[in-house]
Amino acid sequence: MNSEEKTMTKLKIIISPDRVTTGARAAALGAERIRNTIEERGEANIIVATGASQFDLLNTLVEAPDIAWDRVTAFHLDEYVGLTLAHPASFRGYLWERFHRRLPRPLRAMHYISGEGDPKAECERVGALIARHPIDVCFAGIGENAHLAFNDPPADFQTKNPYIVVALDEACRKQQYGEGWFRSLGEVPTQAISMSIAQIMASRTIIVTAPDARKADAVQHALEGRVTNTVPSSILQRHADTHVFLDKESAAKLTRAVETAATT
């Protein structure tokens, strides 16, 4: 199957034959946007996502040529409440191992979220930081329950706070357990600190990577259904510059987008 690009509403959908190519293409676009932004104004601000969907993207992004990483400020998308840095599921640990420490030169700054203290105070701390750094590129995924970051359904589409404390629903917790991050479902935290929908949507460019057959239903509902907070990632249909990178398995249930959208 050859790679395809389809445009629907304001979304650009890029379908690749496998998850490795999906991640590599998403990383290539992200690297291009980061380089262009640095060239335009001397610095760039980005959001980095975690989870199994981001493995291949990050593997390519950290090796992208000619990025002045010392001019890049990065923000953490979400983190579990109550999880220590040493826990295998810690997203701080994930980002350090798979992104931060692998870069060829130090970042200007990497703003991690800690879920170990007062979560509301942490939301205020990182919220104040991101308010001073308009986001140029946001890397994100789509959950099996169609969540965006840890904004599970029904997501809060109204809050303007950059970071919020959220409850994790059963489908989300089962996904985290199913991906092997925890030894049992009971170990999966019930709360997280998440970047809000409004803050994600304020990003200049959003690059979504969502491979695997288990994401097919969520992808179809998010990209072809109506915009609703019961399908949080459907809000991406209202963003001016979102690129959704899928493999053939995650794109398998798309209908209108594949059949009627003009090939670009």
Side-chain angles (χ1 to χ4, degrees):
M1 176 181 176
N2 293 327
S3 297
E4 303 174 57
E5 294 192 8
K6 307 291 182 182
T7 302
M8 181 192 68
T9 64
K10 296 179 180 179
L11 297 172
K12 177 171 280 189
I13 302 170
I14 303 94
I15 304 170
S16 297
D18 55 70
R19 64 173 299 141
V20 174
T21 307
T22 297
R25 295 188 76 186
L29 177 63
E32 176 188 306
R33 294 298 174 90
I34 293 168
R35 283 192 292 264
N36 290 347
T37 300
I38 293 172
E39 184 175 345
E40 288 169 8
R41 60 166 222 273
E43 61 180 4
N45 303 314
I46 69 172
I47 297 165
V48 191
T50 56
S53 66
Q54 306 298 304
F55 288 165
D56 299 297
L57 179 149
L58 292 176
N59 281 338
T60 302
L61 185 63
V62 297
E63 296 178 354
D66 303 321
I67 295 180
W69 289 108
D70 55 346
R71 297 185 182 183
V72 175
T73 298
F75 285 86
H76 185 172
L77 189 63
D78 47 26
E79 181 59 282
Y80 297 102
V81 169
L83 219 61
T84 68
L85 178 60
H87 194 286
S90 165
F91 289 146
R92 285 177 294 162
Y94 174 114
L95 288 175
W96 170 254
E97 290 295 331
R98 295 184 177 274
F99 174 66
H100 196 174
R101 77 175 183 87
R102 295 181 59 194
L103 294 173
R105 66 176 82 174
L107 290 164
R108 171 172 285 184
M110 177 76 205
H111 296 297
Y112 290 101
I113 304 166
S114 172
E116 294 183 66
D118 179 345
K120 291 185 178 179
E122 183 68 354
C123 287
E124 292 175 1
R125 184 188 71 84
V126 290
L129 289 167
I130 204 168
R132 300 196 295 268
H133 296 82
I135 299 300
D136 301 295
V137 180
C138 171
F139 295 98
I142 294 175
E144 291 178 33
N145 64 351
H147 69 200
L148 187 59
F150 265 145
N151 296 287
D152 287 339
D156 187 342
F157 280 7
Q158 304 305 317
T159 183
K160 302 302 181 184
N161 294 334
Y163 287 90
I164 56 176
V165 180
V166 296
L168 302 182
D169 72 11
E170 192 74 1
C172 174
R173 295 176 68 243
K174 285 181 177 178
Q175 176 182 332
Q176 309 313 312
Y177 170 58
E179 290 183 356
W181 302 108
F182 297 90
R183 293 175 297 181
S184 70
L185 180 60
E187 283 190 5
V188 183
T190 58
Q191 286 188 311
I193 295 170
S194 178
M195 186 173 291
S196 69
I197 293 292
Q199 180 62 55
I200 293 169
M201 291 291 285
S203 305
R204 184 174 169 191
T205 295
I206 301 176
I207 296 174
V208 175
T209 308
D212 297 336
R214 60 194 173 88
K215 301 290 183 74
D217 284 328
V219 163
Q220 192 272 329
H221 294 147
L223 305 187
E224 295 187 338
R226 66 186 181 90
V227 176
T228 169
N229 69 345
T230 61
V231 183
S233 49
S234 66
I235 195 69
L236 295 169
Q237 295 180 41
R238 294 181 176 169
H239 190 268
D241 188 36
T242 289
H243 305 253
V244 183
F245 290 83
L246 308 172
D247 63 5
K248 61 183 180 181
E249 284 81 14
S250 61
K253 295 189 177 182
L254 293 180
T255 56
R256 185 172 67 249
V258 173
E259 293 172 5
T260 67
T263 302
T264 59

